[in-house]
Amino acid sequence: MTHESTPDTSMPVRSRSRLIVGNWKMYKTIDQALSFLDKIIPLAKDVDCKVWLSVPFTAIKPCADKAKDSKVVIGAQNMNDAAEGAFTGEVAASMLHDAGASFVIVGHSERRKIFSETNAFINRKVKRALASKLTPLLCIGETFEEHEGQHTKEVLKKQLVECLDGISKEEFDGKVVVAYEPVWAIGTGKAATPEIVEQVHLFCRSVFTEIFGKEAAEKVLLLYGGSVTPDNANGFLLQENVDGLLIGSCSLSSESFAKILKLRHNVIF
Ligand code: PGA
């Protein structure tokens, strides 16, 4: 059961802000993107979470122009690691920033699997994004076989250590967002349980403590993604270490995305 946002001053407020991100993947023309924003921009004013949308390259500039002065933040879904160069078909971080993107997804499992992206390549993208004033939203996650074989923790640790290699505490602190997206839960309708996600997020926070120290580890926003719907979203949001959600298919409809935005976000239950 979901409950909608109502101000309640008796509840303690979360120390980390809540962030809800839509990932549109390869969907929506510019017109479709703009009419989605017509519905979401007015609603976003009144919700107690941050609202980010990761849109196709072609929609970044029109969406960023429309969302200017609103609470909706526009980002990209991918970038190249090089500053510029003869890389036909690729897009540089500085170009995304120039078009109005504020963040960029890196390391999504679809890119790791379909486009053979490695942790080393993703690491270079994280560094380039940070240097180009874009917030990297780093995705990590284990496959079904790794999950079944109980290798989740070692897989995630390797992804975190290798994707964040060479990044200083100062560069990381409050400037990188991480999404745990088990590969077996993405687009399958089989979300992880809130309890599994909370355990994994606690583990990730311990890895951040090892690398960057406790203070930075406490600050990093950790999102869950994988078959999130308006019906199961609240179960994740009840977990102390789930700071938000990365939503694929249910972010394509403004109605279902709006239902998730309107949940109560800013309090500790
Ligand atoms: P899904 O996708 O919500 O459709 O499972 C999540 C994602 O790929 O980020």
Side-chain angles (χ1 to χ4, degrees), residues 21-28 33 53-60 63 74-80 91-92 96 101-112 115 117 122 125 134-139 181 246-248 251-252:
V21 186
N23 172 17
W24 286 350
K25 309 193 179 184
M26 203 171 73
Y27 294 99
K28 292 198 192 294
L53 282 173
S54 192
V55 308
F57 290 140
T58 47
I60 291 175
C63 285
I74 302 298
Q77 301 170 20
N78 184 34
M79 55 173 273
N80 189 267
V91 176
L96 300 176
S102 300
F103 73 96
V104 58
I105 295 179
V106 290
H108 190 282
S109 70
E110 284 153 15
R111 299 224 49 99
R112 291 178 188 261
F115 301 98
E117 294 197 2
I122 295 161
K125 294 193 199 202
L134 291 175
T135 301
L137 197 177
L138 170 65
C139 297
E181 296 207 305
L246 178 53
I247 305 162
S251 73
L252 290 173

Side-chain angles (χ1 to χ4, degrees), residues 143-157:
T143 63
F144 181 71
E145 293 70 31
E146 290 160 347
H147 173 71
E148 288 288 289
Q150 308 202 330
H151 299 303
T152 300
K153 288 185 178 174
E154 71 192 72
V155 171
L156 297 182
K157 183 163 186 177

Side-chain angles (χ1 to χ4, degrees), residues 163-199:
C163 293
L164 297 171
D165 183 46
I167 291 163
S168 69
K169 176 179 177 283
E170 290 65 36
E171 285 168 318
F172 177 79
D173 198 5
K175 299 183 198 92
V176 178
V177 175
V178 175
Y180 167 52
E181 296 207 305
V183 180
W184 46 273
I186 296 177
T188 59
K190 291 191 194 108
T193 65
E195 294 72 26
I196 291 182
V197 175
E198 174 67 6
Q199 287 313 310

